[in-house]
Amino acid sequence: MTSINELYKRLESCDICPHNCNVNRMVGEIGKCGTNSSIIVSSYGPHFGEEPELVGYLGSGTIFFSGCNLLCVFCQNYTISHCREGRSVSINELANIMLRLQDIGCHNINLVSPTHYAPQIAQSIIEAKSYGLAIPIVYNTGCYDKVETLKALEGLIDIYMPDLKFSDPNKAKLYTEAPDYFYYASSAVIEMKRQVGILVVRNGIARRGLIIRHLILPDNQSDTIEIIDFIAENLGTDIYLNLMDQYYPRYQAYQYPKLSRSITTEEYSYYIDYAKSRGFRNPKYIFGYG
Ligand code: SF4
């Protein structure tokens, strides 16, 4: 297994994610994710808009990281991902943020867009754990992740929560910075399941496991049928699958006619019915939250 030191060293010729920019982030160089070695946090606090098993009674301890390695044209959080709003925090400060979220009763630490900060986040988790951090760590990712990097995080992450997007490279090329998105995302999600397995919930609170999100885009722009088939065939139908219905056009979406509206009730029902027909029979595993 890769050590955290080795993971950190990779920032010197960054290959943390599949972009393989090979820039030296330790001397201030910036890759496609828009970040050097500084950790930029946009905001943090208890969040109540996540899956019920993460929110519980006191919220999911969400930390929003700035920058992104996917940069979707329809990003709902574009001021954070594209515009990189936020402030720089040290490894120690990030560890303290995690401990503060635990102190106020959050049920987990929910790391939003963590991929490009994997080495720094790993160090912060280790530090926070040495000071008593004990709640589950959630890796809330767009899933353009490398298996090699995920393997280095094994044992630090309790719940993986990838948003598995389109399978068609043409759509990935049109809507993101990653034409090879599904090639990497499909391997990443299998590695995530290997590490943490099916979601375990105790007393209504998620403890460990895999939650797969899929944001349904209008006019079949998210390859939802293919994504459901992939999950059924490669991960099984007892996976916690959240088919999200809340898309609305944001950022540059209006420049793409097929993305210029929300999804309809009929579209959403069609995909829910299809998921059930593929064997996702327990309605507990099909939600519209997000
Ligand atoms: S993490 Fe950023 S700099 Fe590193 S390979 Fe990915 S996009 Fe490039």
Side-chain angles (χ1 to χ4, degrees), residues 147-187:
V147 167
E148 180 189 1
T149 302
L150 295 172
K151 282 183 186 292
L153 299 174
E154 186 165 6
L156 294 177
I157 306 299
D158 302 285
I159 297 170
Y160 281 104
M161 187 161 65
D163 175 6
L164 197 53
K165 303 176 190 293
F166 10 71
S167 58
D168 175 3
N170 293 320
K171 294 192 185 88
K173 185 176 181 185
L174 187 62
Y175 299 140
T176 77
E177 289 290 319
D180 52 2
Y181 172 78
F182 196 67
Y183 174 82
Y184 284 98
S186 54
S187 302

Side-chain angles (χ1 to χ4, degrees), residues 14-17 19-21 23 25 31-33 35 69 116:
C14 192
D15 63 352
I16 293 297
C17 87
H19 282 307
N20 293 321
C21 298
V23 295
R25 293 171 64 189
K32 280 199 171 182
C33 58
T35 59
N69 67 342
H116 49 297

Side-chain angles (χ1 to χ4, degrees), residues 47-48 51-60 107-108 203-205:
H47 189 39
F48 295 87
E51 285 74 356
E53 292 83 355
L54 295 179
V55 169
Y57 299 103
L58 295 169
S60 177
H107 300 286
N108 46 69
N203 300 325
I205 303 296

Side-chain angles (χ1 to χ4, degrees), residues 173-248:
K173 185 176 181 185
L174 187 62
Y175 299 140
T176 77
E177 289 290 319
D180 52 2
Y181 172 78
F182 196 67
Y183 174 82
Y184 284 98
S186 54
S187 302
V189 79
I190 288 169
E191 168 63 18
M192 291 172 189
K193 186 185 176 200
R194 183 196 70 76
Q195 286 187 25
V196 297
I198 298 294
L199 190 71
V200 174
V201 177
R202 279 198 296 274
N203 300 325
I205 303 296
R207 308 291 168 167
R208 181 179 171 84
L210 178 62
I211 295 174
I212 298 184
R213 289 175 163 180
H214 172 71
L215 179 65
I216 301 172
L217 298 175
D219 214 353
N220 193 30
Q221 293 306 288
S222 49
D223 302 325
T224 301
I225 296 293
E226 290 81 1
I227 294 294
I228 290 171
D229 286 346
F230 169 81
I231 296 168
E233 287 157 22
N234 294 279
L235 300 161
T237 53
D238 49 358
I239 283 288
Y240 187 126
L241 172 62
N242 179 357
L243 293 174
M244 300 190 293
D245 65 350
Q246 75 266 42
Y247 172 80
Y248 66 100

